[in-house]
């Protein structure tokens, strides 16, 4: 047995020596927090001060104030919370908040998803997205004012009712002379339903004229001059006209020069309570009934003089909450569309193409491939909108009119009214604020868990 010498020759009887060990120098990592905690404190102090002043202190003081009465001096324990859940206004606010929580995020997200998917195949996708997203640039105050006008009851002002009335009038005729009625001495009596019936029966060959008054100027401004009806053998004839002459120079019950005809009035011949004939006045006010109307009474149905269809009371007690939710969706659907479109851009296209090659139609691709892949993005949108909806205040406060504001009440609005309204009770208002915080916390925790889960991937 031999060992190698320094020159490379082996030395008999000696084992080869190990190479000299290289000294290991451990590198010690120094953290800023470990060596200079004061430096970290200096950087964090402004943020901590703002957090404490704007978040922690208001929350703590609200919890503390909720245990005191309206004056803030008497400790009442849980009485404010008991009053809150026994108050009808607060119950309505909680019910409406639940409706908001279910409808607003769901509809906004669904529309955002539809817009995001459809705009992928639209040539002017960017312009369409810009239009849909544009309401996000409008403040809630301005949006509330806009929709207060949109939902105005008057069709001449409110866009919603203008469109609704136009559709309605396309399928149903409007009454020709709202508010008009016969002259008191014209020999017609008014029934309970608002119709007018002649006291005397009519005879063939003897014209029966019906003078009316109280018609609106706009309704007769373009009408023809009234024409006296000519007698016809075997037929009932007559004229319906606006019996009024400027300056009061005309003769009552007679057709004077310049007096206007009342066209499109429905006229019925009634015998023994049954309608035996019907007609409509012509452009010159004349009308003709067949011979079977002989001996009948003439009746002007109430429809002739009823108020015109004025649309839907969008801001009435029954529809005010859905109407305001519609304005919210108009604003936030663009937000949902942009986030979902960003997520859709990252969806692998080969999965969709593979599904189509396997025979799936577009609806199946959308339902079984696109939506599951977008589930994380959809959850972000829904949770964000749920947090936002829980704090909704300004739209309800501005859009809902005074008579319907109690029916549209939400927790944030009730908090404001209890704390700064007519009957000021900041103890009750603080209790509502604590309830609102407790309702928002679970949604926030879900969002935080989701963010942490995404960060671990």
């Amino acid at each position: 047995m031999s060992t190698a010498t320094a020159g490379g020759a082996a030395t008999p009887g000696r084992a080869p020596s190990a190479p000299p060990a290289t000294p290991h120098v451990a590198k010690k990592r120094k953290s800023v927090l470990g060596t200079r905690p004061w430096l970290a404190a200096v950087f964090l102090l402004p943020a901590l001060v703002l957090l404490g002043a704007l978040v922690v202190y208001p929350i703590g003081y609200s919890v503390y104030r909720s245990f005191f009465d309206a004056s803030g001096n008497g400790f009442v324990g849980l009485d404010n919370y008991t009053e809150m859940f026994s108050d009808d206004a607060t119950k309505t606010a909680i019910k409406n908040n639940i409706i908001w929580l279910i409808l607003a995020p769901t509809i906004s997200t669904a529309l955002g998803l539809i817009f995001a998917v459809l705009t992928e195949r639209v040539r002017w996708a960017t312009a369409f997205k810009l239009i849909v997203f544009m309401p996000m640039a409008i403040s809630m105050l301005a949006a509330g004012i806009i929709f207060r006008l949109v939902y105005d009851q008057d069709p001449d002002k409110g866009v919603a009712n203008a469109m609704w009335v136009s559709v309605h009038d396309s399928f149903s005729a409007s009454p020709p002379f709202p508010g008009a009625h016969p002259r008191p001495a014209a020999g017609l009596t008014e029934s309970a339903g608002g119709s007018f019936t002649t006291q005397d029966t009519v005879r063939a060959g003897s014209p029966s004229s019906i003078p009316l008054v109280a018609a609106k100027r706009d309704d007769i401004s373009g009408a023809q001059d009234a024409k006296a009806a000519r007698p016809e053998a075997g037929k009932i004839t007559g004229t319906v006209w606006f019996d009024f002459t400027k300056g009061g120079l005309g003769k009552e019950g007679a057709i004077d020069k310049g007096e206007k005809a009342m066209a499109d009035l429905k006229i019925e011949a009634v015998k023994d309570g049954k309608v035996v004939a019907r007609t409509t006045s012509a452009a010159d006010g004349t009308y003709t009934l067949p011979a079977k109307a002989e001996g009948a009474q003439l009746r002007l149905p109430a429809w002739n003089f009823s108020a015109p269809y004025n649309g839907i009371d969008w801001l009435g007690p029954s529809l005010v909450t859905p109407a305001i939710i519609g304005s919210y969706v108009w604003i936030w659907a663009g937000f949902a569309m942009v986030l979902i479109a960003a997520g859709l851009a990252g969806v692998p296209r080969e999965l969709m193409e593979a599904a189509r090659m396997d025979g799936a139609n577009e609806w199946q691709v959308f339902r079984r491939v696109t939506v599951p892949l977008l589930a994380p993005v959809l959850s972000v949108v829904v949770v964000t909108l749920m947090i936002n909806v829980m704090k909704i205040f300004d739209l309800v406060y501005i859009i809902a009119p005074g008579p319907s504001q109690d029916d549209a009440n939400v927790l944030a609005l009730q908090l404001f009214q209890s704390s700064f309204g007519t009957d000021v009770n900041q103890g009750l208002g603080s209790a509502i604020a604590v309830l609102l915080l407790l309702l928002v916390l679970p949604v926030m925790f879900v969002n935080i868990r989701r963010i942490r889960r995404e960060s671990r991937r």
Side-chain angles (χ1 to χ4, degrees):
M1 183 175 181
S2 62
T3 58
T5 61
T11 305
R14 294 184 64 182
S17 59
T22 304
H24 176 71
V25 180
K27 293 183 179 179
K28 185 178 180 181
R29 296 182 179 179
K30 297 181 180 181
S31 64
V32 174
L33 291 176
T35 57
R36 297 178 180 177
W38 61 269
L39 185 60
V42 168
F43 281 103
L44 292 175
L45 184 60
L48 292 175
V49 170
L50 289 175
L51 184 66
L54 301 179
V55 178
V56 178
Y57 173 74
I59 292 176
Y61 184 76
S62 295
V63 175
Y64 168 80
R65 185 66 177 83
S66 66
F67 297 112
F68 289 82
D69 59 9
S71 64
N73 298 321
F75 182 79
V76 295
L78 297 177
D79 288 353
N80 287 323
Y81 293 92
T82 304
E83 180 181 354
M84 175 177 63
F85 286 106
S86 60
D87 182 40
D88 291 337
T90 308
K91 290 180 181 178
T92 302
I94 295 173
K95 181 195 71 175
N96 287 337
N97 263 99
I98 294 173
I99 295 174
W100 272 88
L101 201 61
I102 295 173
L103 293 182
T106 305
I107 298 175
S108 300
T109 305
L111 286 178
L113 177 61
I114 293 171
F115 290 157
V117 172
L118 293 183
T119 49
E120 279 199 322
R121 303 189 177 188
V122 176
R123 182 177 180 182
W124 302 100
T126 304
F128 179 80
K129 290 179 181 178
L130 179 63
I131 293 173
V132 175
F133 187 76
M134 196 176 294
M136 284 294 298
I138 302 174
S139 67
M140 287 287 194
L141 174 64
I145 295 173
I146 291 171
F147 275 88
R148 181 65 180 269
L149 295 175
V150 168
Y151 292 132
D152 195 286
Q153 181 68 42
D154 187 355
D156 293 333
K157 298 179 182 177
V159 176
N161 265 341
M163 294 188 296
W164 189 265
V165 169
S166 298
V167 174
H168 175 273
D169 291 348
S170 299
F171 298 95
S172 178
S174 298
F177 301 101
H181 57 82
R183 271 197 178 279
L188 284 88
T189 57
E190 183 178 4
S191 62
S195 61
F196 295 91
T197 307
T198 59
Q199 297 173 357
D200 300 328
T201 58
V202 292
R203 291 175 300 172
S206 178
S208 179
S209 299
I210 305 175
L212 300 181
V213 293
K216 295 180 181 179
R217 181 178 299 177
D218 293 341
D219 294 333
I220 62 171
S221 59
Q224 296 182 18
D225 289 344
K227 179 182 177 182
R230 295 180 179 179
E232 295 184 29
K235 293 184 179 180
I236 308 299
T237 60
T239 303
V240 184
W241 83 101
F242 184 53
D243 190 13
F244 174 78
T245 304
K246 291 182 179 180
L249 301 177
K251 182 179 178 182
E252 292 185 6
I255 302 176
D256 298 306
K257 184 178 180 180
E259 291 184 339
K260 299 298 183 181
M262 301 186 78
D264 299 325
L265 275 169
K266 295 184 182 299
I267 303 170
E268 298 174 343
V270 181
K271 283 184 181 180
D272 300 325
K274 296 181 179 179
V275 178
V276 296
R278 289 185 177 90
T279 189
T280 302
S281 59
D284 57 3
T286 59
Y287 66 89
T288 303
L289 288 166
K292 60 182 178 180
E294 175 83 24
Q297 294 174 294
L298 298 183
R299 182 171 67 187
L300 302 178
W303 173 84
N304 292 315
F305 316 111
S306 61
Y309 181 70
N310 208 32
I312 298 174
D313 188 7
W314 297 102
L315 299 181
S318 58
L319 290 178
V320 61
T321 295
I324 300 174
I325 291 176
S327 65
Y328 179 90
V329 171
W330 177 75
I331 298 171
W332 287 91
F335 167 82
M337 179 197 66
V338 170
L339 290 187
I340 295 172
L344 190 62
V347 172
R349 303 297 169 180
E350 55 270 16
L351 296 179
M352 298 182 184
E353 295 301 328
R356 293 188 181 99
M357 292 182 65
D358 288 340
N361 55 37
E362 292 300 324
W363 168 246
Q364 291 173 330
V365 171
F366 173 76
R367 186 166 60 92
R368 297 183 180 275
V369 179
T370 305
V371 173
L373 291 175
L374 289 175
V377 179
L378 296 177
S379 65
V380 171
V381 175
V382 170
V383 171
T384 303
L385 293 179
M386 288 175 68
I387 295 174
N388 184 271
V389 158
M390 292 297 294
K391 304 178 293 181
I392 195 69
F393 164 78
D394 29 20
L395 281 180
V396 180
Y397 185 71
I398 296 168
I399 296 177
S404 301
Q405 199 162 84
D406 290 340
D407 299 285
N409 199 14
V410 289
L411 283 174
L413 179 59
Q414 183 61 32
L415 186 159
F416 171 78
Q417 292 175 338
S418 298
S419 301
F420 309 104
T422 305
D423 300 324
V424 177
N425 186 346
Q426 294 189 352
L428 178 60
S430 298
I432 297 174
V434 173
L435 172 64
L436 193 57
L437 174 66
L438 294 177
L439 294 176
V440 171
L441 283 178
V443 184
M444 293 179 60
F445 287 148
V446 170
N447 203 25
I448 292 172
R449 288 186 60 186
R450 182 197 57 76
I451 293 173
R452 288 180 176 176
R453 194 182 308 116
E454 291 293 331
S455 63
R456 295 194 189 106
R457 293 180 180 177

